[in-house]
Amino acid sequence: MSILSTFPITKKWPAQHPEQIQLYSLPTPNGVKVSIMLEEAGLPYEAHLVSFETNDQMSPEFLSLNPNNKIPAIIDPNGPDGKPLPLFESGAILLYLADKSGKFIPQDGAGRYETIQWVMFQMGGIGPMFGQLGFFNKFAGKDYEDKRPRDRYVAESKRLLAVLNQRLAERTWIMGDAYTIADIATFPWIRNLIGFYEAGDLVGIKDFPHVTRALDAFLARPAVVKGLTIPKRG
């Protein structure tokens, strides 16, 4: 019997490689953070598609792993002290995988916490604000006659981009010369904002050249190219 068989989620998504990290996700900005990190770190993993079209995220099996019904989530069969570790929230997973692999986070205390600071900047600011802007620009919100909600999120998105642009003005990556989980957390959302959400002109993305320069470098990384398509949509 596999050690993972005690997790109800494996009944719906059986593990073909139970010795590997199990990833339950969808290629959204939050989802690909983890697939990109797994590819960058070279950690063996098995990906399972959680389809929103069939409400997989609301299934009892998925909720047993993440009661907040959001992707991504993982189970590491070889977690701390050799015990399996179930984990949700993309930022927490990035931190865990960075510690597990010893990669993409500074080893000195100050650098570590500064990196975590920028991961939190994405989690608390860029993700929620860009997501709301996407709703009001591309989805149901675009039909609202009152444009004040959209404009509120446009203004805040511009402010966040300006903060990031200033940070990158004299740095290759968010933390300097070293590529870290702060970049892995942030740039999928920048890509989504100007791509899928079609809001590049709305936020004036050309006014943030350091952001777009770093985004291009991010998208050129082989692990990013691969991770952006994992799990493959059905």
Side-chain angles (χ1 to χ4, degrees), residues 33-230:
K33 292 177 193 175
V34 177
S35 54
I36 289 170
M37 178 59 181
L38 287 163
E39 288 291 329
E40 292 278 17
L43 293 169
Y45 70 101
E46 181 177 353
H48 305 277
L49 179 70
V50 180
S51 175
F52 288 179
E53 294 180 1
T54 54
N55 285 323
D56 280 349
Q57 77 277 16
M58 300 302 296
S59 66
E61 294 88 351
F62 187 78
L63 291 172
S64 70
L65 181 58
N66 184 359
N68 195 35
N69 66 271
K70 302 291 184 183
I71 59 93
I74 67 167
I75 303 174
D76 183 358
N78 300 298
D81 302 318
K83 298 178 181 179
L85 176 69
L87 205 59
F88 64 87
E89 283 294 334
S90 59
I93 297 171
L94 285 180
L95 284 166
Y96 172 70
L97 295 177
D99 286 343
K100 182 181 179 72
S101 65
K103 298 177 180 179
F104 308 114
I105 192 166
Q107 298 304 302
D108 66 288
R112 174 184 172 82
Y113 283 109
E114 189 176 359
T115 304
I116 293 172
Q117 161 187 273
W118 284 98
V119 172
M120 296 303 124
F121 172 78
Q122 182 278 307
M123 298 290 293
I126 283 178
M129 294 304 109
F130 288 10
Q132 294 296 336
L133 176 53
F135 172 82
F136 284 105
N137 185 56
K138 182 170 181 176
F139 297 109
K142 68 182 179 181
D143 298 326
Y144 295 180
E145 291 185 10
D146 186 350
K147 297 305 179 186
R148 285 176 295 179
R150 185 204 67 177
D151 292 346
R152 170 184 172 85
Y153 291 113
V154 168
E156 181 62 4
S157 295
K158 285 182 174 181
R159 188 190 71 80
L160 292 166
L161 286 167
V163 172
L164 190 59
N165 196 65
Q166 183 178 19
R167 175 72 181 179
L168 290 164
E170 297 180 357
R171 294 174 176 85
T172 303
W173 299 107
I174 292 172
M175 286 300 297
D177 291 335
Y179 173 79
T180 69
I181 56 171
D183 305 294
I184 295 172
T186 301
F187 287 109
W189 276 101
I190 307 293
R191 172 181 178 264
N192 215 58
L193 177 71
I194 63 181
F196 183 71
Y197 287 156
E198 302 171 355
D201 290 340
L202 196 60
V203 299
I205 193 65
K206 292 181 180 179
D207 296 332
F208 308 105
H210 305 299
V211 172
T212 55
R213 180 262 308 159
L215 174 63
D216 288 343
F218 177 76
L219 295 175
R221 296 178 68 91
V224 172
V225 172
K226 186 173 181 181
L228 286 171
T229 66
I230 297 173

